[in-house]
Amino acid sequence: TTDLIVIGDTQSDDPEVLEAIGGSIAGSGVDYDFAIQTGDFVDSGGSYALWDGILSVFSEYLSDIDFVQVFGNHEYEGNTDGRFPETVNFTPGSDYYSVTYGNVYVAVINCYMESDMKEAVEWIRADAAKSDATWKILTLHRPPYYTNVIGGSENSHALLPALVDEADFDVVFSGHDHSFARTEQL
């Protein structure tokens, strides 16, 4: 089996909140293989102090867990090209990419790629077809089905359901809406 945890929209500069998150994960008793962070890890991607705060706390509690990072809209605040979070998080320097942990394939679409979602969708469709992983996960920041009436992404809604079916994804994880929602299998 592969054990993973999904978190998103931490966006806090309050050390007590960050320690509560890190401590809860570390104290769960589960030996996680990896984690998915669905974007908005910090409130402003251009702030070194915010990155330092969250990375210090998470390094203390979660240093043995690899994180698959998705960049949300807040990673681009004060840092419109997203290069600072790429450097901090050691991501591959692409607006979309994939990784495989054990029997789990994870495809990532970063937030501002959503303006040209077709390119990412075509790449992921081809890449996912090459994977023989038992489980396939798609993760991005803005969900294809959103609960926030002033948010959402029409590109995600228009393009991702077909990709999920065609590429045989088992689950989609996203953030942005600051709420928990799920659908029945579609």
Side-chain angles (χ1 to χ4, degrees):
T1 66
T2 302
D3 292 312
L4 68 113
I5 190 161
V6 179
I7 63 172
D9 295 273
T10 47
Q11 292 178 259
S12 180
D13 61 355
D14 183 340
E16 289 183 21
V17 170
L18 298 176
E19 287 177 16
I21 295 168
S24 175
I25 296 168
S28 69
V30 177
D31 185 18
Y32 292 106
D33 295 288
F34 71 101
I36 296 172
Q37 191 289 117
T38 63
D40 290 357
F41 203 38
V42 296
D43 199 43
S44 176
S47 170
Y48 174 78
L50 294 177
W51 285 108
D52 184 53
I54 197 164
L55 292 174
S56 292
V57 171
F58 275 47
S59 293
E60 177 183 342
Y61 289 99
L62 309 172
S63 62
D64 59 340
I65 301 174
D66 287 346
F67 271 77
V68 176
Q69 295 286 341
V70 177
F71 296 157
N73 52 300
H74 284 272
E75 272 81 13
Y76 293 92
E77 283 189 17
N79 175 54
T80 56
D81 68 0
R83 300 302 171 228
F84 188 63
E86 285 176 4
T87 302
V88 169
N89 290 298
F90 305 107
T91 58
S94 176
D95 289 323
Y96 47 89
Y97 63 96
S98 69
V99 294
T100 301
Y101 285 91
N103 61 355
V104 181
Y105 167 90
V106 181
V108 174
I109 300 174
N110 286 326
C111 186
Y112 282 93
M113 184 62 217
E114 292 175 12
S115 62
D116 189 15
M117 184 72 75
K118 289 180 183 178
E119 178 183 319
V121 165
E122 291 309 313
W123 184 87
I124 291 170
R125 182 177 285 118
D127 189 62
K130 294 182 240 175
S131 173
D132 61 357
T134 304
W135 298 96
K136 291 183 182 175
I137 296 172
L138 175 63
T139 185
L140 69 160
H141 184 61
R142 289 191 177 115
Y145 302 104
Y146 45 90
T147 60
N148 183 340
V149 296
I150 61 169
S153 169
E154 292 305 317
N155 283 336
S156 293
H157 183 71
L159 298 172
L160 293 183
L163 170 66
V164 169
D165 286 343
E166 292 165 18
D168 202 26
F169 281 100
D170 297 290
V171 67
V172 178
F173 291 117
S174 60
H176 193 64
D177 284 357
H178 296 225
S179 65
F180 177 80
R182 65 183 184 178
T183 67
E184 297 292 329
Q185 185 173 353
L186 303 174

